[in-house]
Amino acid sequence: MKRTHKCSEVTSELIGEEIYVSGWIHRRRDHGGVIFFDLRDEGGLVQVVYNPDSRDTFSLAESCRNEYVILSKGIVRERPEGTVNESLVTGRVEIIASELEILNASLPMPFQLDEHTSVGEETRLKYRFLDLRRSDMQENLRLRSRVSGSLRNFLNAQEFIEIETPLLTKATPEGARDYLVPSRTFPGSFFALPQSPQLFKQTLMASGFEKYYQFAKCFRDEDLRADRQPEFTQLDIEMSFVNSEEVISLVTEMVKKVFAETLSVDLGDFPRISYAEAIEKYGIDKPDLRNPIELLEVKDLFKSCDFKVFSEPANDPESRIAAMKVQNGKTLTRKQIDDYTDFVGNYGAKGLAYIRVEDPEKGREGLNSPIIKFIDDEILENLLSTLKIEEGDIVFFGAGKRNIVNDSLAALRDLVAKDLDLLTCEWAPCWVVDFPMFENNKSGELTPLHHPFTAPICGIEELKDSPLEALTDAYDLVLNGTELGGGSVRIHDKGMQQAVLSLLKIDKEEADEKFGFLISALEHGCPPHAGLAIGFDRMIMLMTGSESIRDVIAFPKTQTASCLLTDAPGEAAKDQLEELHIRFHGIDKEA
RNA sequence: GGACCGGUAGUUCAGUUUGGUUAGAACGCCGCCCUGUCACGGCGGAGGUCGCGAGUUCGAGUCUCGUCCGGUCCGCCA
């Protein structure tokens, strides 16, 4: 091509030179006797000027429209006095065009590409190729690439090697629903797309690759959210002969370095907090530490209270009563508090008790609350001194089943901080550690909190005796209330692995069928190993300040997991289905 | 599986509460004018299956029911 310079390279050093530039007509300003184009390529904008002096070129310029792709020749010159545009890198110069070639015309845009117009999700996704021309999306995907490059550089420098693992693989008994791919050669059998490369990366440790990483595509057929797509990318890492400390310190260094390199952000220290402490103080295992609000357990104060809403949970071992003090919460209106009550209702809370502190000196008289009339003086006094209330505070209470109180107050904590603009800093990373090995699910069965290959801290006998007490060598990296990644020391001992599987009621036969290769690897000299996976899309969301994961993925799916650009998923041809031995039942499909 | 918000011109929205003449605005688009603009400006114009389908009514963008699409959340996501 004839292009000699990128638009952004056209600066004062080129004054007097004749150059070729190519790009899209970002905006045109036709003054009748003079025409300006803002010409855009991937680096930026430059102004090209068309005068009637060169007749043919000028009339061609008159016919151009926005988003035409052109090539123009011209001489760079300093802009006349008073016409400099300081907001452009190239704003001190302009190109006086002598030639113009239309490389490709364009239909009018279905929506405007400038940053001043908002566009609906449906239109953006249908014309994704145009949406991606917009500067926000350009910047997001460019940052994404810089970040993955920086991560690769870091890991390569530490002598990690990148290994790809299969996408056509086998369903495993883990959490999410699988995406299945029918096998042509084995009628009635299916591949599953991986939910993560977990089993493969452990197997690679048994193979003697001591430091592995991969940008791995993962697939989970579950309902979507603003931060969840059915296919997403993990930075998957695994190491042999390391303990959790070594993984944590390596990943801390890596994440700090990436933020410094790509955003010039110093993330500071990564404090550690135990799972138990996180739940107690924040109601959640991924607390946003930018938020100064904490929960306080006040269950013990209400054991002998007459107020049933509090006394019942106070005497139930599976319940908690948490107080959430919000300094200067007095600015919250009655309407907002009502909205908060509805809001916690989403999480199963039956109500939201509160106390507004008008004047702490006046005791009961200085409080405004629908509940204190049910609380006698002694308990109230204890409560107030425990909470260390001050004038203007508002205290919310959650009382009931532990999960409901935790879920609802954790969500309320975020919402209140947002409404009152309470966040104390821009970035707050932390490691959450000491996770329990198991929890009881709704049917009262043991399920792993992390996954069944996570090593417990205790021995086999202890684990069997009191599985719910057992802690693991697992760690989650949390940034601003988002779980960025998580990992653990893995079980490398066959006996322990069998003990865990038997507690999970997975018998030998099932284990062999589902992941016999991993068990076999453990039996053939598998080194101790540990690792972690980072949710790469979420990391980019945080780094770009995006509200939706769709804004950091080039071609994302809608909430119903369809693609508006390609119209996927689509129907399969009859002969394809026949080859795959698939027939439909119960849905109306033309065969 | 459930709750909520939205769907009106190419785009973003108003109009729906209280049914009533020809459904508006901005930007974009088209035409004309304009030699220093930079989200240029001026004048004029075109552009609508009010998501779709039933129903109520003399009459539906507006009310009712169903349905589809987009979004946020709960469940789900080890």
Side-chain angles (χ1 to χ4, degrees):
Chain A
M1 296 291 284
K2 287 182 179 165
R3 173 162 81 168
T4 57
H5 293 81
K6 304 279 282 290
C7 293
S8 55
E9 292 167 354
V10 185
T11 52
S12 304
E13 291 96 80
L14 294 180
I15 286 172
E17 286 190 38
E18 186 172 76
I19 63 168
Y20 284 91
V21 285
S22 263
W24 289 262
I25 298 173
H26 188 63
R27 230 185 291 279
R28 74 204 159 88
R29 291 176 292 279
D30 183 347
H31 288 241
V34 60
I35 299 171
F36 302 98
F37 288 169
D38 287 339
L39 192 66
R40 182 191 77 237
D41 62 20
E42 69 168 4
L45 296 174
V46 67
Q47 175 163 283
V48 188
V49 187
Y50 297 85
N51 286 309
D53 315 346
S54 37
R55 258 190 105 90
D56 295 347
T57 299
F58 185 77
S59 66
L60 197 55
E62 280 181 313
S63 74
C64 286
R65 293 294 178 266
N66 282 345
E67 297 302 313
Y68 276 30
V69 184
I70 63 164
L71 169 73
S72 222
K73 182 171 93 171
I75 291 179
V76 181
R77 76 159 193 206
E78 195 165 14
R79 288 199 191 188
E81 211 181 324
T83 66
V84 166
N85 184 347
E86 297 289 357
S87 61
L88 287 182
V89 179
T90 60
R92 310 198 134 266
V93 296
E94 61 192 5
I95 300 168
I96 306 301
S98 53
E99 284 176 22
L100 168 62
E101 184 184 345
I102 297 175
L103 300 177
N104 206 349
S106 169
L107 293 171
M109 292 294 109
F111 53 89
Q112 283 158 264
L113 303 189
D114 58 68
E115 59 275 24
H116 309 286
T117 339
S118 68
V119 188
E121 201 69 26
E122 209 169 342
T123 315
R124 289 180 58 192
L125 292 179
K126 183 172 172 195
Y127 295 96
R128 189 60 159 180
F129 51 92
L130 298 179
D131 187 40
L132 293 179
R133 272 187 207 166
R134 305 190 328 152
S135 59
D136 284 0
M137 290 302 299
Q138 286 271 321
E139 282 163 26
N140 288 356
L141 293 183
R142 285 172 200 288
L143 181 77
R144 185 177 170 123
S145 172
R146 285 207 305 279
V147 171
S148 66
S150 168
L151 290 166
R152 281 201 166 91
N153 286 343
F154 177 88
L155 291 166
N156 291 340
Q158 304 271 339
E159 300 184 320
F160 278 77
I161 68 161
E162 182 166 17
I163 302 177
E164 290 148 288
T165 54
L167 293 186
L168 292 175
T169 179
K170 200 170 181 187
T172 48
E174 348 168 90
R177 196 177 294 119
D178 286 309
Y179 274 99
L180 295 177
V181 179
S183 162
R184 175 179 57 82
T185 47
F186 293 88
S189 289
F190 294 84
F191 296 99
L193 304 181
Q195 296 181 24
S196 77
Q198 181 63 34
L199 300 180
F200 286 110
K201 71 172 170 176
Q202 290 193 239
T203 307
L204 285 169
M205 294 301 105
S207 307
F209 297 102
E210 296 184 20
K211 290 178 167 184
Y212 143 93
Y213 80 94
Q214 176 186 194
F215 280 87
K217 272 286 180 117
C218 303
F219 304 85
R220 296 179 190 175
D221 187 6
E222 295 293 345
D223 287 343
L224 288 83
R225 289 286 188 281
D227 63 352
R228 262 162 44 187
Q229 282 275 305
E231 62 177 304
F232 60 98
T233 304
Q234 283 187 346
L235 172 55
D236 198 41
I237 294 175
E238 197 77 9
M239 288 180 272
S240 294
F241 306 111
V242 293
N243 57 26
S244 53
E245 285 303 323
E246 288 160 282
V247 177
I248 287 174
S249 87
L250 177 101
V251 173
T252 302
E253 194 192 333
M254 178 180 79
V255 171
K256 278 175 76 85
K257 187 151 190 227
V258 167
F259 270 74
E261 273 182 17
T262 58
L263 292 182
S264 302
V265 162
D266 179 5
L267 285 179
D269 293 330
F270 287 44
R272 302 239 188 128
I273 171 170
S274 76
Y275 174 85
E277 187 188 351
I279 298 290
E280 161 121 9
K281 280 165 79 171
Y282 310 108
I284 197 166
D285 62 359
K286 43 178 180 176
D288 187 346
L289 297 184
R290 295 172 304 169
N291 181 345
I293 302 174
E294 293 185 2
L295 311 186
L296 195 63
E297 182 61 71
V298 292
K299 188 176 178 179
D300 291 343
L301 299 177
F302 294 99
K303 285 226 152 69
S304 59
C305 174
D306 296 331
F307 186 34
K308 247 184 146 181
V309 173
F310 279 8
S311 62
E312 275 185 11
N315 292 291
D316 172 11
E318 285 176 11
S319 293
R320 83 176 285 195
I321 304 175
M324 191 175 100
K325 184 174 80 173
V326 181
Q327 287 186 315
N328 281 318
K330 65 180 171 194
T331 53
L332 292 168
T333 62
R334 185 58 208 267
K335 166 95 171 59
Q336 273 175 303
I337 294 172
D338 287 346
D339 288 347
Y340 290 163
T341 308
D342 291 343
F343 177 75
V344 296
N346 292 334
Y347 300 85
K350 295 203 181 69
L352 181 64
Y354 66 89
I355 298 176
R356 299 173 82 110
V357 182
E358 316 273 356
D359 182 352
E361 303 299 312
K362 288 191 187 158
R364 187 181 286 271
E365 300 306 309
L367 304 175
N368 176 343
S369 165
I371 59 157
I372 51 171
K373 58 176 177 266
F374 303 112
I375 299 172
D376 67 39
D377 286 342
E378 193 188 334
I379 294 176
L380 186 64
E381 206 171 295
N382 265 334
L383 178 67
L384 297 183
S385 66
T386 306
L387 291 171
K388 301 190 181 72
I389 53 157
E390 287 170 38
E391 196 243 307
D393 291 347
I394 185 163
V395 186
F396 293 103
F397 294 89
K401 293 294 176 198
R402 205 168 249 130
N403 283 346
I404 291 179
V405 172
N406 287 336
D407 292 351
S408 55
L409 288 188
L412 183 63
R413 176 175 172 268
D414 286 341
L415 183 59
V416 169
K418 192 177 148 221
D419 287 350
L420 295 180
D421 201 17
L422 297 179
L423 300 186
T424 55
C425 56
E426 203 173 348
W427 301 102
C430 67
W431 285 101
V432 179
V433 296
D434 294 338
F435 284 82
M437 180 76 191
F438 302 107
E439 62 184 349
N440 274 324
N441 69 10
K442 272 171 278 172
S443 339
E445 294 156 336
L446 287 181
T447 54
L449 217 72
H450 198 52
H451 56 58
F453 313 107
T454 301
I457 290 174
C458 58
I460 294 182
E461 290 311 314
E462 270 175 276
L463 182 72
K464 283 181 174 165
D465 288 347
S466 42
L468 284 170
E469 309 287 302
L471 297 181
T472 58
D473 227 341
Y475 32 82
D476 275 3
L477 175 58
V478 174
L479 180 56
N480 295 0
T482 296
E483 185 194 324
L484 255 197
S488 60
V489 173
R490 325 297 185 185
I491 298 169
H492 68 281
D493 171 75
K494 188 195 164 198
M496 176 60 89
Q497 187 66 71
Q498 276 171 344
V500 170
L501 293 175
S502 87
L503 282 165
L504 293 171
K505 304 249 172 6
I506 298 173
D507 62 30
K508 186 172 182 315
E509 202 176 317
E510 186 184 354
D512 280 347
E513 198 239 305
K514 300 265 171 70
F515 42 86
F517 65 98
L518 178 67
I519 309 280
S520 179
L522 297 184
E523 290 173 317
H524 289 87
C526 182
H529 58 286
L532 152 147
I534 288 186
F536 184 61
D537 312 275
R538 284 188 190 168
M539 182 167 175
I540 306 301
M541 267 181 85
L542 283 170
M543 297 180 88
T544 55
S546 300
E547 304 232 315
S548 166
I549 195 170
R550 293 183 299 276
D551 289 345
V552 299
I553 294 176
F555 302 105
K557 305 282 187 289
T558 67
Q559 189 157 46
T560 51
S562 70
C563 173
L564 299 181
L565 181 72
T566 62
D567 245 345
E571 297 190 0
K574 193 182 167 191
D575 51 350
Q576 286 181 307
L577 291 174
E578 259 170 31
E579 275 185 331
L580 296 170
H581 324 283
I582 289 177
R583 221 170 279 150
F584 291 113
H585 282 283
I587 40 172
D588 204 12
K589 288 266 178 199
E590 287 291 318

